[in-house]
Amino acid sequence: GLISTPTDTDHSCRFGQWYYGPNGQRYAALESFRAMAATHSRIHQLAHELIAQKNSGAQFGPMIEELHQVSAELIEHLQTLQVEVVLGR
């Protein structure tokens, strides 16, 4: 069957609520924090594209690979942010 497109945006998902909300914005001066915005947005874009591909019956293997890569990149940004916060940089 068809998969419906998620209604969450990169601002309204749980991560986006933290990132764009006051709890996340206190880290806005840190480069690792700012770098997460584009990566997070790309994850949402890929999710929408993957659902469209699945619903059309097209192959989506390469997109899955990119999703894994972009997800790993977001995790790296989070880990770097954690180190920067702990070390007070």
Side-chain angles (χ1 to χ4, degrees):
L2 295 180
I3 300 172
S4 60
T5 303
T7 57
D8 284 344
T9 67
D10 58 343
H11 283 70
S12 66
C13 71
R14 284 178 43 188
F15 182 84
Q17 289 176 16
W18 170 79
Y19 185 86
Y20 294 105
N23 290 329
Q25 288 301 302
R26 65 183 174 195
Y27 305 112
L30 300 173
E31 176 60 33
S32 59
F33 179 83
R34 292 190 307 272
M36 284 190 274
T39 306
H40 176 233
S41 182
R42 181 66 181 142
I43 289 171
H44 279 269
Q45 181 183 11
L46 282 168
H48 286 272
E49 291 173 13
L50 281 164
I51 290 169
Q53 292 281 22
K54 167 77 168 112
N55 288 341
S56 71
Q59 295 293 321
F60 52 85
M63 292 176 87
I64 292 288
E65 278 301 313
E66 184 179 356
L67 181 61
H68 287 294
Q69 291 172 354
V70 174
S71 296
E73 185 179 314
L74 184 61
I75 291 168
E76 285 180 31
H77 290 312
L78 283 165
Q79 290 170 336
T80 302
L81 176 65
Q82 183 179 27
V83 168
E84 288 178 357
V85 169
V86 169
L87 297 179
R89 294 186 181 172

